[in-house]
Amino acid sequence: MKLIIKNGTIINPVHHQHEKGDVVIEDGKIVSLGGIADVSGAEVYDAEGFFVTPGLIDMHVHLREPGQEAKEDIHTGTQAAAAGGITHVVTMANTKPVIDNMAVLRAVQKRVEEDGVVKVSIIGSVSKRLKGEQLSEMGDLSAAGAVAFSDDGHYVENANFMRRAMEYAGQLGKMIIDHAEDMTMCGDGFMNEGIISYQMGVAGRPAVGEDIAVSRDLLLSQLTGCHIHIAHVSSAKAVELIRDAKKKGIDCSTEVTAQHLYFTDDYLKNYESAFKMAPPIRTEKDRQALINGLLDGTIDAIMTDHAPHADEEKDVPFNCAPNGIAGLETSLASTLTVLYHTGKMSIDRIVELMAVNPAKLLHISGGVLEEEGTADITVIDPDKEWVVRGNELYTKSLFTPYEGISLKGKAVLTIVDGEIVMKGGKVVK
């Protein structure tokens, strides 16, 4: 069956394409791109007023399977991705058991084949059981398809161990994704350390704990030549450190979450556990530094760090709640609201940050629309205003910091391998 997306504005940064035209899809491939298509015998989707972009890619999610299916599973997590206009997610290794060997990785791949709604790539752990003591089976994991290595959720405290891990990952041609928080400084904190935490009487996680960790691992990248990717950067100083490292030619990159671009620690004054995450939401100064880092190219990608928890885990006093929020269904809308509708950033640049660059960084397919290429496509209504309600989301984790907030912009069609998986906000797979 032929599918034609008509009258949309095609946003295709790799080919510097920003023009109104039709996209014809058949047998999972893009048959033609641009111009006016003959609609006879085809299913037609009218995208007048909408953006037609390469499928969005989220390079940092936690699908929680295996072992933590009460929080999320591969089916619900990929449904949430489809609802958010994301056609490809990259899931972290901190499952139970940890993805530290080929057997677990292959089991996850099998579950993705059975229940995945969108494409899923898998990250292997740096260390066995995330303990930072013994290397994971990195060679086997790489051979089986792991796209990177990370102990995300844990900082690798031992500098010499991290050096050896980076040397090995570099030989395999894989990046290490670094959760950069020195836990000797941050481990006892629950939110950003600052005026708000002092007023609330809550122990803080100081930004300098992030800065120290970032600085150490940039130096190790310089020493080993391994590509280091700083996950979910949140502090102004860390952005500055990464900017300087790039100028020196250090092989590094970084990402920011949509929620760190939207919120500040002012939102935590009511002790709401929906805002609790690691690294924490910081100050307005930090938020502005993150936006500036995107604008000048220091920060390479916008992602979610989708880290869902069961409702009963988050519906507890603030200090008792686990870190992490669900973000797959709000990331695009939040980004459009903060950056596009304020005039700070073009839609072309947003697509680079949410599709093109993640594909390039991880050496995975996607991020571009091409004739004869795979039809992974997101259609976006930039002007659709909607109010976030946790109980209307596809994720199992209904506690969201965006609860009751009006956002502007939404994915209205998600296509994976030429198949519609979400239409009009409804996941159909």
Side-chain angles (χ1 to χ4, degrees):
M1 180 67 179
K2 184 189 296 183
L3 171 64
I4 299 176
I5 303 171
K6 280 200 70 66
N7 304 319
T9 300
I10 299 167
I11 307 296
N12 195 18
V14 169
H15 295 304
H16 308 288
Q17 188 176 12
H18 183 134
E19 62 184 31
K20 190 167 183 177
D22 300 345
V23 181
V24 181
I25 301 163
E26 197 166 8
D27 297 327
K29 301 290 185 181
I30 297 172
V31 176
S32 69
L33 185 63
I36 300 174
D38 178 5
V39 301
S40 55
E43 178 184 354
V44 177
Y45 183 90
D46 186 2
E48 180 73 42
F50 300 163
F51 296 130
V52 181
T53 79
L56 303 184
I57 300 172
D58 192 330
M59 65 182 294
H60 187 146
V61 307
H62 300 266
L63 294 182
R64 301 301 195 193
E65 192 174 351
Q68 302 171 83
E69 288 84 356
K71 301 174 187 282
E72 193 79 283
D73 59 45
I74 285 167
H75 186 62
T76 58
T78 55
Q79 280 188 315
I86 297 164
T87 63
H88 194 150
V89 298
V90 185
T91 188
M92 285 290 177
N94 59 337
T95 50
K96 294 184 180 180
V98 174
I99 306 174
D100 59 12
N101 63 80
M102 188 164 52
V104 179
L105 185 140
R106 284 181 170 164
V108 175
Q109 289 172 329
K110 186 172 187 298
R111 290 289 296 121
V112 169
E113 291 174 6
E114 294 170 344
D115 275 349
V117 177
V118 304
K119 295 177 177 177
V120 180
S121 292
I122 302 168
I123 293 167
S125 71
V126 170
S127 66
K128 289 279 190 181
R129 300 179 298 282
L130 307 176
K131 291 184 177 294
E133 298 170 351
Q134 181 182 0
L135 287 176
S136 69
E137 298 175 10
M138 296 173 78
D140 286 347
L141 288 165
S142 179
V147 296
F149 299 104
S150 180
D151 276 3
D152 187 60
H154 298 74
Y155 178 58
V156 179
E157 296 284 352
N158 186 309
N160 194 52
F161 180 88
M162 186 63 156
R163 173 188 178 179
R164 301 307 178 198
M166 291 174 73
E167 288 172 340
Y168 198 19
Q171 292 174 24
L172 295 168
K174 303 292 184 182
M175 69 163 64
I176 285 186
I177 300 175
D178 187 21
H179 185 126
E181 280 189 293
D182 186 326
M183 297 310 289
T184 63
M185 298 195 73
C186 301
D188 295 326
F190 303 101
M191 62 178 291
N192 179 59
E193 181 183 279
I195 293 172
I196 304 299
S197 69
Y198 299 146
Q199 291 174 342
M200 293 171 61
V202 173
R205 300 168 84 103
V208 71
E210 178 176 340
D211 305 337
I212 288 169
V214 168
S215 182
R216 185 202 78 174
D217 291 336
L218 289 172
L219 288 170
L220 288 176
S221 174
Q222 186 176 33
L223 174 67
T224 63
C226 176
H227 185 147
I228 191 75
H229 180 83
I230 305 300
H232 38 51
V233 66
S234 70
S235 86
K237 181 63 176 179
V239 174
E240 180 184 329
L241 289 166
I242 296 162
R243 182 181 291 116
D244 290 344
K246 287 188 169 187
K247 289 177 181 177
K248 293 174 182 175
I250 295 173
D251 192 5
C252 62
S253 54
T254 190
E255 64 189 29
V256 66
T257 76
Q259 56 266 24
H260 282 90
L261 297 172
Y262 192 100
F263 299 107
T264 67
D265 55 0
D266 274 324
Y267 282 83
L268 278 73
K269 288 180 177 178
N270 292 327
Y271 301 87
E272 291 185 22
S273 62
F275 291 92
K276 191 178 178 192
M277 62 193 73
I281 297 164
R282 301 199 189 274
T283 66
E284 177 63 17
K285 176 184 175 182
D286 293 301
R287 191 182 79 88
Q288 289 299 328
L290 296 174
I291 292 173
N292 290 336
L294 288 169
L295 294 174
D296 70 13
T298 300
I299 300 176
D300 302 272
I302 299 172
M303 32 57 72
T304 64
D305 189 15
H306 177 79
H309 295 282
D311 289 354
E312 59 268 24
E313 294 176 293
K314 291 292 269 189
D315 192 15
V316 295
F318 182 81
N319 285 6
C320 301
N323 291 310
I325 69 161
L328 286 167
E329 294 166 80
T330 51
S331 177
L332 173 62
S334 179
T335 300
L336 291 171
T337 301
V338 171
L339 297 178
Y340 177 74
H341 287 295
T342 58
K344 291 183 174 71
M345 189 174 289
S346 69
I347 186 63
D348 305 71
R349 178 62 178 150
I350 289 171
V351 172
E352 284 183 358
L353 293 163
M354 300 187 76
V356 178
N357 290 354
K360 288 181 178 179
L361 286 167
L362 291 167
H363 306 291
I364 57 179
S365 63
V368 61
L369 301 175
E370 294 181 304
E371 291 185 1
E372 303 306 320
T374 302
D376 293 341
I377 297 172
T378 303
V379 179
I380 301 165
D381 179 351
D383 298 317
K384 183 174 179 59
E385 296 189 43
W386 60 291
V387 177
V388 180
R389 303 293 182 194
N391 61 5
E392 297 175 356
L393 302 178
Y394 281 91
T395 176
K396 289 184 180 181
S397 180
L398 307 184
F399 271 70
T400 170
Y402 294 93
E403 183 69 41
I405 290 176
S406 178
L407 299 175
K408 190 173 183 180
K410 206 172 196 297
V412 291
L413 191 71
T414 307
I415 297 172
V416 178
D417 286 331
E419 180 183 358
I420 294 173
V421 296
M422 184 277 288
K423 185 175 183 180
K426 303 296 183 184
V427 178
V428 296
K429 184 176 179 182

